[in-house]
Amino acid sequence: ILAGLTVAMTMIPESLSFAILAGLSPLTGLYAAFLMGLVTAVLGGRPGMVSGGAGATVVVLIALAATLGVQYLFAAVILGGVLQLLVGAFKLGKFVRLIPQPVMYGFLNGLAIIIFMAQVQQFKAADGWMSGPALYTMLGLTALTVAIVLLFPRLTKAIPASLVAILFVFGLVVAFGMDTKKVIDIASVSGSLPTFHIPTVPLTWETCTIIFPYALVMAGVGLIESLLTLNMVDEITNSKGNANREALAQGTANVVNGFFGGMGGCAMVAQTLVNLNAGARTRLSAIIGAFAILLVILVGAPFIEQIPMAALVGVMMM
């Protein structure tokens, strides 16, 4: 349960950032985090793995959303989900086992660099890079978060160190009234339940030819990242997941995303590692994380919006 809460806190700002990057409503990213997290946790082939609105899949849809609108993006997400379902149905997920180990390491190292660079962007203010007291405060709080994550497990592993670090830094900022960047500075996270709607695009062959290339790339990138993440969790936990079942779960989640206003997504390496480092090995943590995001959208926004970004940056960098 504690691991799930930690995952939710780290996923919220990342989902918001990716949605804004794609020119979408912030809630589109949060809905994706909730829907992907819940569906893949229940149906997926790898307990302990976390999925959400990942940048790897959203980036390939930015051009489509910018030129034709968000409804075409939702249609592409649905079609991408159908393609992923076909991969699972025809049991093609097993071929990920043939990917060489060096490629696996290269994939994870590449993602580590991308995640690090994404956190560096949090040191920007509205008028450019932070400087002076604002920069020193951000750096100090980030360093404190990293130190807590590293040292707290020496005291006890009963409580996830990442969660302790986030709450401690949050309390410190509130107690001393520190002026530092918070989640609210990215976007508001308050909203309502996602509602069902069919994307308002012409149901023609021309529409299919427009969205198919985007859906194909999104499905491929998302599935490769998800199955490589599954392999990574297999190695860490010394167990074996089901690649074909995970492909079916990813496809189902993306189809649901398209019909409920989510931007689509795939497995998230950083959040998965946060989850595993917090001691989670079952589906419960990802389910708790998904519902925690929904509660934040519905009632918890005033609290989450005040969490210092330095705390989340420190956790993500670890």
Side-chain angles (χ1 to χ4, degrees), residues 161-253:
S162 299
L163 182 60
V164 173
I166 292 171
L167 294 178
F168 182 84
V169 173
F170 172 70
L172 196 65
V173 168
V174 171
F176 290 94
M178 295 181 183
D179 183 17
T180 187
K181 189 175 182 180
K182 301 181 177 69
V183 172
I184 187 62
D185 295 319
I186 300 178
S188 172
V189 299
S190 178
S192 58
L193 284 169
T195 56
F196 178 83
H197 84 289
I198 298 174
T200 53
V201 298
L203 299 178
T204 63
W205 178 252
E206 182 183 2
T207 299
C208 187
T209 58
I210 291 172
I211 66 174
F212 181 78
Y214 294 97
L216 182 63
V217 174
M218 177 216 144
V221 170
L223 209 51
I224 290 170
E225 181 167 348
S226 297
L227 296 182
L228 286 175
T229 304
L230 181 145
N231 267 6
M232 176 194 74
V233 180
D234 284 355
E235 290 193 10
I236 291 174
T237 61
N238 195 27
S239 58
K240 187 176 180 180
N242 188 321
N244 293 315
R245 181 174 173 181
E246 186 61 36
L248 290 170
Q250 293 289 331
T252 302

Side-chain angles (χ1 to χ4, degrees), residues 93-101 103 231:
K94 61 186 177 182
F95 290 109
V96 75
R97 303 285 180 187
L98 301 178
I99 295 176
Q101 197 74 15
V103 175
N231 267 6

Side-chain angles (χ1 to χ4, degrees), residues 2-3 6 10 144-169 274-279 311 314-315 318:
L2 294 175
T6 308
T10 60
L144 176 61
T145 303
V146 171
I148 294 172
V149 172
L150 289 174
L151 299 176
F152 188 79
R154 298 184 181 182
L155 298 177
T156 178
K157 293 184 179 180
I159 304 174
S162 299
L163 182 60
V164 173
I166 292 171
L167 294 178
F168 182 84
V169 173
V274 168
N275 192 42
L276 295 175
N277 290 336
V315 169
M318 295 305 294

Side-chain angles (χ1 to χ4, degrees), residues 11-302:
M11 190 179 292
I12 287 170
E14 190 166 345
S15 299
L16 291 174
S17 299
F18 288 139
I20 293 169
L21 175 67
L24 305 174
S25 160
L27 282 176
T28 307
L30 293 181
Y31 288 155
F34 164 63
L35 296 169
M36 290 295 303
L38 181 61
V39 174
T40 56
V42 174
L43 302 179
R46 175 68 268 179
M49 201 162 85
V50 177
S51 296
T57 54
V58 177
V59 166
V60 302
L61 301 177
I62 290 178
L64 178 63
T67 54
L68 295 174
V70 69
Q71 296 301 318
Y72 278 84
L73 179 143
F74 292 145
V77 169
I78 293 171
L79 181 56
V82 171
L83 295 175
Q84 290 176 331
L85 282 169
L86 292 175
V87 170
F90 286 101
K91 301 187 183 303
L92 302 178
K94 61 186 177 182
F95 290 109
V96 75
R97 303 285 180 187
L98 301 178
I99 295 176
Q101 197 74 15
V103 175
M104 178 77 170
Y105 290 145
F107 163 76
L108 293 174
N109 288 331
L111 277 179
I113 294 171
I114 292 172
I115 291 167
F116 179 83
M117 294 305 295
Q119 305 318 307
V120 171
Q121 295 300 312
Q122 300 301 335
F123 287 85
K124 279 186 175 181
D127 55 350
W129 292 101
M130 290 180 180
S131 61
L135 176 61
Y136 301 143
T137 301
M138 187 81 170
L139 286 172
L141 293 174
T142 301
L144 176 61
T145 303
V146 171
I148 294 172
V149 172
L150 289 174
L151 299 176
F152 188 79
R154 298 184 181 182
L155 298 177
T156 178
K157 293 184 179 180
I159 304 174
S162 299
L163 182 60
V164 173
I166 292 171
L167 294 178
F168 182 84
V169 173
F170 172 70
L172 196 65
V173 168
V174 171
F176 290 94
M178 295 181 183
D179 183 17
T180 187
K181 189 175 182 180
K182 301 181 177 69
V183 172
I184 187 62
D185 295 319
I186 300 178
S188 172
V189 299
S190 178
S192 58
L193 284 169
T195 56
F196 178 83
H197 84 289
I198 298 174
T200 53
V201 298
L203 299 178
T204 63
W205 178 252
E206 182 183 2
T207 299
C208 187
T209 58
I210 291 172
I211 66 174
F212 181 78
Y214 294 97
L216 182 63
V217 174
M218 177 216 144
V221 170
L223 209 51
I224 290 170
E225 181 167 348
S226 297
L227 296 182
L228 286 175
T229 304
L230 181 145
N231 267 6
M232 176 194 74
V233 180
D234 284 355
E235 290 193 10
I236 291 174
T237 61
N238 195 27
S239 58
K240 187 176 180 180
N242 188 321
N244 293 315
R245 181 174 173 181
E246 186 61 36
L248 290 170
Q250 293 289 331
T252 302
N254 277 311
V255 170
V256 171
N257 257 278
F259 282 119
F260 282 89
M263 65 183 184
C266 63
M268 303 182 77
V269 175
Q271 279 71 21
T272 297
L273 288 172
V274 168
N275 192 42
L276 295 175
N277 290 336
R281 294 294 184 272
T282 68
R283 300 178 188 275
L284 179 61
S285 59
I287 294 173
I288 292 294
F291 278 112
I293 291 171
L294 180 62
L295 284 175
V296 166
I297 295 172
L298 299 179
V299 298

